[in-house]
Amino acid sequence: MLPITIIIPTLDRHDLLLRAIDYYQYFDCNILVADSSSTKENCEFPDNFMYKHLPGMAYAKKILEIAKDVTTQYACLASDDDYLLESSLKAGASFLNANSDYVSVQGRYLGFELIGNQVVFSPRYDRNSSRYA
C-alpha cells in the first residue's frame, strides 16, 4: 500500500462524491472523506475508504478533524471533483523519500472539456506559479 492518504472534503455534493468513490476505489492507498453536509451519504464505501459525517462543520475544522485519522507518512488533499493519478502519487512519495529536505510536492492540474466529439486537455494553473524548493 502507498504511504499516502487522500483526504476528500465534501459539502452537499454527494453526486460528485459518488463519482470520486468510483474513481478511487481501486487505488492502493487510504482515502478519508470529511462530509459536512446536513445529510449523511449512505452508500457502501470500499475497504480503502473511511467516511466521517461532520454536519455543519467548517472547512478548516473538518480537515483538522479528519487529519487525526491519517496513519500514513504522507497525506494529500483532493476536492470531491478533482482526480489524482495513482502513478503521480507514487512519484511524489518517491521524490519525498529521496529528498528529505523537501516537505511537499505538487503536480500539474489539467482541465478538460468536450469540444465537438473531442476531449481537449489544457493546463489550469501557470506552471511558474509554484516553483519553490
Side-chain angles (χ1 to χ4, degrees):
M1 183 167 278
L2 289 173
I4 299 170
T5 298
I6 300 172
I7 297 172
I8 302 174
T10 191
L11 170 63
D12 295 328
R13 299 189 340 162
H14 288 165
D15 56 332
L16 293 175
L17 177 59
L18 292 173
R19 287 175 62 187
I21 292 166
D22 186 52
Y23 178 77
Y24 289 116
Q25 68 181 322
Y26 300 110
F27 273 45
D28 190 26
C29 65
N30 296 325
I31 299 160
L32 306 178
V33 176
D35 183 5
S36 54
S37 305
S38 58
T39 59
K40 184 177 181 178
E41 176 53 55
N42 289 316
C43 74
E44 187 162 330
F45 287 87
D47 290 341
N48 60 331
F49 276 75
M50 187 187 89
Y51 174 84
K52 269 197 174 174
H53 186 228
L54 306 163
M57 191 174 282
Y59 182 84
K61 192 170 182 179
K62 77 179 171 183
I63 298 302
L64 289 172
E65 181 62 31
I66 200 80
K68 294 175 186 175
D69 296 308
V70 173
T71 59
T72 56
Q73 187 175 1
Y74 306 115
C76 71
L77 198 56
S79 179
D80 55 13
D81 62 352
D82 287 344
Y83 299 96
L84 307 173
L85 298 177
E86 190 172 17
S87 60
S88 295
L89 292 170
K90 287 179 185 177
S94 293
F95 177 85
L96 290 172
N97 285 335
N99 297 279
S100 61
D101 52 329
Y102 284 80
V103 296
S104 69
V105 293
Q106 178 179 328
R108 293 188 185 143
Y109 280 83
L110 296 175
F112 60 91
E113 59 184 316
L114 185 61
I115 299 176
N117 63 351
Q118 198 170 18
V119 177
V120 178
F121 291 90
S122 58
R124 284 295 175 209
Y125 301 104
D126 179 8
R127 288 185 66 191
N128 296 318
S129 65
S130 59
R131 296 267 183 195
Y132 301 103

